[in-house]
Amino acid sequence: MPRKTDHSPQLSYKERYDLVRHPKRIRSSDVIEGVFDNLIYYGSPDPSLIAATGSVKGIDCIILGQEKPRKGKKSKATGMVKPEGFGFGLEMLSQAEKNRIPVVSIIDTYGGDPSMESEMGGQSFLISDSISRFCDANTPTV
């Protein structure tokens, strides 16, 4: 009989829910720091969006990571990207296309920011535009 592991599909729905919502699970920043070399971070206008360049196995790439707050640490990140974050992500995609380098996106989201301010800032359009642009990107995306 196979052993039940934390990533096993044999976990109950409740066990899977508890695992993905666990306050000590890894965040995008943990993955970025653990996987990529030669990191250079860009000043994202949205604290919930990490933007950087780095390399993995000698391949240069642009990294976009959605960051959720970590319990017990002060952070302005909400885990919900705002319009300025989506716009900045699209600018980074344009730079990747221009320089012919791949984009690695790490998504860990509650969804888009639900505030009226974000909606007035074009949140719905920017989400759909981001999906469309990443689907048609002229550079590899993961």
Side-chain angles (χ1 to χ4, degrees):
M1 176 170 233
R3 200 178 103 215
K4 191 173 180 181
T5 62
D6 286 345
H7 57 276
S8 169
Q10 298 169 13
L11 294 173
S12 72
Y13 287 115
K14 171 74 170 111
E15 290 170 318
R16 283 188 255 171
Y17 177 85
D18 290 343
L19 184 63
V20 300
R21 297 286 184 232
H22 196 281
K24 292 186 178 178
R25 76 185 186 289
I26 64 170
R27 299 290 196 253
S28 297
S29 54
D30 301 323
V31 175
I32 292 168
E33 291 287 330
V35 172
F36 297 95
D37 298 315
N38 309 315
L39 287 166
I40 299 171
Y41 289 93
Y42 293 91
S44 171
D46 186 338
S48 294
L49 178 70
I50 300 169
T53 57
S55 61
V56 60
K57 295 189 177 189
I59 300 170
D60 292 333
C61 53
I62 287 180
I63 305 131
L64 298 172
Q66 192 165 8
E67 186 76 346
K68 286 184 178 176
R70 200 180 296 267
K71 196 170 189 172
K73 286 194 174 185
K74 286 189 175 189
S75 172
K76 293 183 180 182
T78 63
M80 297 176 283
V81 176
K82 295 181 178 176
E84 53 271 20
F86 282 107
F88 190 71
L90 290 172
E91 288 176 30
M92 296 297 289
L93 176 61
S94 293
Q95 286 300 312
E97 290 175 317
K98 180 180 171 185
N99 296 304
R100 298 182 180 268
I101 59 176
V103 178
V104 177
S105 300
I106 302 166
I107 302 168
D108 181 17
T109 185
Y110 301 112
D113 180 55
S115 70
M116 182 57 75
E117 179 181 303
S118 286
E119 191 52 44
M120 297 299 289
Q123 176 93 329
S124 298
F125 171 78
L126 287 163
I127 290 171
S128 64
D129 193 36
S130 293
I131 293 168
S132 177
R133 289 273 314 279
F134 270 84
C135 288
D136 291 335
N138 292 320
T139 194
T141 60
V142 178

